[in-house]
Amino acid sequence: VWLRAVCSDSTHVCVLAFARRVVSVTWVGETTHLITASHDCTARVWDGLRGCCLHVLEGHTARLSRVRVDATGAYAVTCSDDN
């Protein structure tokens, strides 16, 4: 995953590293945050402007296949191969 991040002194291209492949990405409401779902069993909340990971959402025991956020941006749901 590549993001163009704007810093105070210059523009950089950031690589967002994951242990496994990212399979789903969605924006959080009308914010600049996004959530990714990955085969590493995590969902991650990102600052879409800076390319920084804000939160790692853990708890699944199998790879994730999808992430969705409600219209208000208050709730996210993930789908996984676990029970």
Side-chain angles (χ1 to χ4, degrees), residues 4-81:
R4 184 171 177 246
V6 178
C7 300
S8 59
D9 58 337
S10 62
T11 300
H12 302 278
V13 176
C14 300
V15 178
L16 307 179
F18 293 87
R20 299 244 175 125
R21 98 173 94 160
V22 173
V23 293
S24 183
V25 177
T26 189
W27 290 102
V28 178
E30 295 185 19
T31 71
T32 59
H33 295 156
L34 51 104
I35 300 180
T36 57
S38 174
H39 280 185
D40 69 1
C41 306
T42 66
R44 297 172 190 258
V45 180
W46 298 91
D47 179 325
L49 293 178
R50 296 180 183 267
C52 303
C53 181
L54 303 174
H55 304 285
V56 178
L57 307 174
E58 300 175 302
H60 284 289
T61 58
R63 65 187 186 179
L64 275 60
S65 58
R66 182 163 292 168
V67 62
R68 291 291 182 260
V69 176
D70 75 308
T72 67
Y75 299 97
V77 62
T78 54
C79 299
S80 176
D81 291 342

